[in-house]
């Protein structure tokens, strides 16, 4: 015959407590020795037990402990400072630390039948919140049930979806899921710069603050914005993106805030803007550094007041939108120049994430190549050591976007094994190519253009690469190029 398993019992004792107003007045029959002793005689065997009581009930509880010692190897009495056992808040305050102390027990039972209803309620909350990993037991009183009762000791199971355990663990669950997924999906790589980005993204995403995402062109700023949205409480809402540099001021205002019928020529009906479409979700304003001054003012008003006004309209329309702004430009320098509003910059810059350029995370190249090849449905690619060496030494001015295009080209023109000869000329040589290599094929028309045109094209390319390398900072790019800052500004405008 197998012995019953030994467990640890947690129970409350209110022996000797004065009866509270409104408490039931059931008189315990002489044959009823109470739920705790009935459990020990009719239920499980316990190696240890913890009895909790108040100062008022301590003397009578000591008598209970003495009776329990003949049935349990080790009994501990814990006296807590609870003047009123019907005070839910105070009972929780003293039981929560005890629950943490006992949470390491492998086998723990908590008896719900002893103590005030408030004590029993707190035990249920602690168990269902995952703070007290225990079975909940109920001992049925003989005065209320037939004797003998077929099931005098019951396990209480409350399988209620959305019970306090969900609320208690939600924040931890969101954090852990975000940490696990932050490098998944579109964000690929486990290099040190990407690990730093992942940690910051994990902390930022659950909040509702505006986020400023900085990074060179092609680094994947929109992917970061989508990751923030997917890991936030707004994940079930819409994600809407718009490039601020693609439209002029009038069209951009209409796109963002909507317009009323007749607001301008061609406005034949009311149209909702992107802020209204993103209500309850996230709006990404890409290339926010290109915002015209008039639209900057309107955006600041939305961030401050949480309302928009459609173009041509007078009514304020409430919107609940989290704004993520992205840019490759140096907004601080633009603020100093007076081309970007300082108050808007501070509103957008509640939290900042910097997306590293590919040249600073070359350790992620293998993962990225594999990811892009799988995404396009191509067969697994094998690169020769020489090809990998060329990829690692390349400056990647176009960042991840350039690598994605390169991998796509291999799938079209290359074989399963990629060698140096299969790489783009710029990657093989480490420099951009403006004319095709000499071969037996006819030269392209581009090779026959006037010299000044080719020089101008090379100058434009050099300026673009310098600005990309310096994240849009005109002063630093000018120093790299060895020219005056105003000269660079003039050439850039041209």
């Amino acid at each position: 015959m197998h012995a019953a398993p030994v467990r640890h019992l947690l129970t409350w004792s209110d022996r000797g407590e004065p009866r509270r107003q409104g408490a039931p007045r059931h008189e315990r029959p002489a044959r009823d020795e109470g739920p705790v002793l009935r459990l020990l005689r009719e239920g499980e065997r316990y190696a240890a037990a913890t009895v909790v009581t108040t100062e008022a009930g301590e003397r009578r509880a000591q008598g209970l402990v003495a009776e329990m010692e003949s049935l349990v190897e080790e009994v501990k009495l814990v006296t807590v400072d609870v003047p009123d056992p019907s005070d839910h808040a105070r009972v929780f305050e003293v039981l929560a630390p005890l629950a943490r102390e006992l949470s390491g027990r492998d086998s723990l039972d908590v008896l719900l039948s002893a103590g005030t209803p408030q004590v029993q309620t707190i035990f249920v909350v602690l168990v269902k919140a995952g703070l007290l990993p225990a079975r909940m037991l109920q001992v049925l009183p003989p005065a209320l049930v037939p004797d003998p009762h077929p099931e005098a000791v019951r396990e209480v199971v409350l399988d209620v979806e959305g019970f306090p355990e969900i609320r208690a663990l939600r924040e931890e669950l969101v954090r852990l899921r975000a940490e696990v997924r932050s490098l998944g999906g579109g964000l690929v790589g486990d290099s040190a710069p990407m690990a730093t980005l992942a940690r910051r993204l994990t902390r930022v995403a659950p909040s509702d603050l505006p986020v400023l995402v900085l990074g060179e062109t092609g680094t994947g700023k929109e992917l970061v914005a989508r990751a923030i949205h997917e890991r936030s409480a707004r994940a079930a809402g819409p994600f809407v993106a718009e490039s601020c540099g693609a439209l002029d001021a009038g069209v951009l205002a209409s796109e963002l805030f909507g317009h009323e019928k007749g607001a301008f020529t061609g406005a034949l009906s009311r149209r909702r803007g992107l802020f209204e479409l993103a209500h309850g979700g996230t709006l990404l304003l890409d290339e926010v550094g290109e915002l015209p001054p008039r639209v900057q003012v309107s955006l600041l008003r939305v961030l401050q007041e949480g309302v928009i006004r459609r173009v041509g309209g007078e009514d304020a329309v409430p919107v609940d939108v989290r704004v993520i702004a992205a840019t490759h430009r140096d907004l601080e320098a633009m603020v100093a120049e007076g081309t970007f509003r300082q108050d808007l910059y501070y509103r957008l810059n509640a939290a900042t994430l910097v997306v590293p350029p590919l040249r600073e995370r070359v350790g992620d190249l293998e993962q990225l190549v594999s990811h892009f090849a799988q995404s396009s449905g191509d067969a697994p690619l094998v690169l020769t050591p020489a090809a990998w060496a060329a990829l690692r030494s390349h400056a990647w001015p176009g960042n991840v976007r350039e690598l994605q295009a390169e991998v796509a080209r291999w799938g079209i023109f290359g074989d399963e094994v990629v060698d140096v000869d299969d790489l783009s000329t710029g990657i093989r040589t480490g420099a951009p190519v403006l004319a095709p290599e000499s071969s037996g094929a006819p030269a392209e028309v581009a090779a026959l253009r006037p010299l000044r045109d080719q020089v101008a094209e090379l100058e434009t390319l050099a300026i673009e690469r310098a600005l990309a390398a310096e994240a849009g900072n005109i002063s630093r790019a000018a120093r790299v190029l060895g020219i005056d800052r105003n000269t660079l500004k003039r050439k850039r405008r041209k």
Side-chain angles (χ1 to χ4, degrees):
M1 182 176 180
H2 295 287
V6 291
R7 305 177 65 84
H8 190 107
L9 175 66
L10 173 62
T11 184
W12 184 281
S13 171
D14 57 0
R15 284 190 177 189
E17 286 285 342
R19 188 181 301 278
R20 303 285 167 181
Q21 183 176 1
R25 295 185 173 275
H26 299 300
E27 295 296 333
R28 180 181 297 172
R31 59 186 174 85
D32 184 3
E33 53 189 353
V36 178
L37 295 177
R38 288 193 67 206
L39 172 65
L40 297 180
R41 299 189 195 280
E42 302 178 28
E44 301 280 354
R45 290 179 54 194
Y46 293 95
T50 299
V51 179
V52 186
T53 190
T54 65
E55 294 179 358
E58 182 176 7
R59 185 180 61 82
R60 295 290 298 274
Q62 289 173 345
L64 173 63
V65 169
E67 295 180 81
M68 293 172 62
E69 288 176 339
S70 63
L71 302 169
V72 181
E73 296 178 14
E74 178 185 350
V75 184
K76 178 182 180 182
L77 179 63
V78 176
T79 303
V80 294
D81 180 17
V82 181
D84 181 4
S86 65
D87 183 346
H88 283 97
R90 182 57 184 163
V91 172
F92 180 84
E93 187 178 349
V94 299
L95 285 182
L98 181 61
R100 287 193 294 269
E101 181 182 332
L102 296 176
S103 61
R105 306 276 179 172
D106 293 331
S107 301
L108 180 64
D109 291 345
V110 58
L111 179 60
L112 301 182
S113 299
T116 64
Q118 291 78 11
V119 170
Q120 297 163 6
T121 300
I122 296 304
F123 273 139
V124 171
V125 171
L126 289 172
V127 172
K128 295 305 295 181
L131 301 175
L132 183 64
R135 291 191 311 171
M136 296 183 292
L137 300 181
Q138 174 189 21
V139 176
L140 303 181
L144 302 179
V145 297
D147 186 21
H149 193 275
E151 192 180 5
V153 178
R154 290 179 179 174
E155 181 178 356
V156 179
V157 179
L158 299 176
D159 187 13
V160 182
E161 185 177 359
F163 206 80
E165 61 186 333
I166 303 299
R167 295 191 295 273
L169 298 176
R170 181 176 295 150
E171 183 177 350
E172 180 71 3
L173 183 61
V174 169
R175 185 188 69 78
L176 291 175
R177 283 181 174 174
E179 187 171 344
V180 170
R181 296 172 53 196
S182 58
L183 291 179
L187 299 179
V188 179
D190 54 9
S191 61
M194 287 300 287
T196 299
L197 174 62
R199 285 194 299 271
R200 290 184 58 83
L201 191 152
T202 299
R203 295 175 66 91
V204 166
S207 75
D208 215 23
L209 294 173
V211 180
L212 182 60
V213 182
L214 302 177
E216 298 176 9
T217 300
T219 51
K221 295 186 290 295
E222 182 171 343
L223 293 177
V224 171
R226 288 184 179 275
I228 294 171
H229 171 73
E230 291 170 0
R231 291 152 181 78
S232 72
R234 297 175 176 268
F239 177 86
V240 180
E242 180 60 74
S243 174
C244 301
L247 305 169
D248 63 34
V251 176
L252 182 58
S254 175
E255 285 294 313
L256 292 178
F257 311 120
H259 62 251
E260 298 289 350
K261 180 179 179 180
F264 49 83
T265 303
L268 303 179
S269 62
R270 171 187 287 179
R271 180 185 179 188
R272 293 194 304 160
L274 298 182
F275 267 96
E276 290 183 79
L277 295 177
H279 183 76
T282 304
L283 174 61
L284 167 64
L285 299 178
D286 199 6
E287 300 303 336
V288 72
E290 310 300 326
L291 274 178
R294 181 162 62 87
V295 181
Q296 290 183 33
V297 175
S298 300
L299 176 59
L300 178 62
R301 184 182 303 117
V302 176
L303 294 175
Q304 289 176 335
E305 302 174 7
V307 298
I308 58 103
R309 286 179 175 81
R310 302 187 187 100
V311 176
E314 297 180 355
D315 296 335
V317 181
V319 288
D320 174 23
V321 176
R322 183 186 197 177
V323 173
I324 300 177
T327 183
H328 70 281
R329 302 187 64 180
D330 186 343
L331 293 187
E332 288 189 2
M334 294 181 65
V335 169
E337 295 168 359
T339 56
F340 199 86
R341 292 183 64 97
Q342 184 180 54
D343 45 7
L344 177 58
Y345 171 69
Y346 289 138
R347 279 283 180 177
L348 295 173
N349 194 26
T352 303
L353 296 179
V354 179
V355 188
L358 184 53
R359 64 181 176 275
E360 293 180 5
R361 46 178 296 221
V362 291
D364 295 328
L365 278 172
E366 294 189 21
Q367 293 183 51
L368 288 165
V369 168
S370 176
H371 173 73
F372 291 141
Q374 292 177 7
S375 299
S376 61
D378 296 332
L381 296 172
V382 178
L383 277 70
T384 64
W388 280 120
L391 294 180
R392 293 188 182 99
S393 63
H394 184 53
W396 297 109
N399 289 294
V400 177
R401 189 179 297 155
E402 179 185 356
L403 176 63
Q404 185 176 14
E406 179 71 11
V407 174
R409 197 182 66 81
W410 298 341
I412 297 173
F413 299 107
D415 298 321
E416 292 185 3
V417 177
V418 179
D419 203 352
V420 173
D421 292 338
D422 299 309
L423 305 180
S424 298
T425 306
I427 298 178
R428 291 202 308 269
T429 63
V433 175
L434 300 180
E437 293 179 324
S438 299
S439 65
E444 295 186 10
V445 176
L448 302 177
R449 290 178 299 158
L451 177 61
R452 66 184 180 188
D453 292 345
Q454 296 186 54
V455 171
E457 184 176 6
L458 181 59
E459 181 180 83
T460 299
L461 180 61
I463 290 174
E464 289 177 348
R465 292 186 64 176
L467 287 169
E470 299 300 333
N473 188 301
I474 294 179
S475 299
R476 293 200 299 264
R479 284 197 293 271
V480 169
L481 293 170
I483 60 177
D484 181 73
R485 181 173 178 275
N486 291 328
T487 301
L488 176 58
K489 290 176 66 177
R490 185 175 63 254
K491 289 179 176 294
R492 187 168 179 270
R493 285 195 301 267
K494 180 180 177 181

